[in-house]
Amino acid sequence: LGGGSTIPNGACNGTCTSSTAAIWTTASSNGFGYTLGNITGTDASFTSNFKIFDAVNAQTIATKVTGTSGSRIATCYMLSVDVSQATGYYFNQLTYVATPRF
């Protein structure tokens, strides 16, 4: 990070990617990432560890083979910065697209 005006994708202890979830417990593994949790149902693509964002390719966060009306999933974001990160306002925009199956 080093005092820049952006916060990069997370490092997750060095092993996560946008397609592979990994543990994120090391305080010096700075950046921005996310994990998922099932509130109702079991449709989240992963529910432990973290992934980083992919600005180019869409990522599946939930899927179900049969129809449902009661599934709920939570997204939890992880943000870790070091002491040299510049103070100020940081912005991000995430787009979620739900594609129904008929």
Side-chain angles (χ1 to χ4, degrees):
L1 291 174
S5 61
T6 62
I7 297 173
N9 277 324
C12 303
N13 294 11
T15 57
C16 71
T17 66
S18 61
S19 59
T20 304
I23 193 167
W24 193 348
T25 57
T26 304
S28 62
S29 292
N30 296 311
F32 187 43
Y34 70 102
T35 190
L36 303 171
N38 287 307
I39 297 173
T40 306
T42 58
D43 307 322
S45 295
F46 65 99
T47 57
S48 61
N49 299 324
F50 291 84
K51 287 186 178 181
I52 59 173
F53 295 98
D54 187 327
V56 176
N57 302 300
Q59 298 296 310
T60 300
I61 61 169
T63 188
K64 186 159 182 100
V65 176
T66 60
T68 184
S69 63
S71 293
R72 294 175 51 206
I73 295 168
T75 306
C76 181
Y77 304 101
M78 170 73 119
L79 177 63
S80 176
V81 296
D82 66 24
V83 296
S84 65
Q85 184 68 38
T87 59
Y89 293 99
Y90 292 82
F91 303 91
N92 200 350
Q93 179 176 330
L94 302 170
T95 302
Y96 291 90
V97 177
T99 306
R101 292 185 181 184
F102 298 98

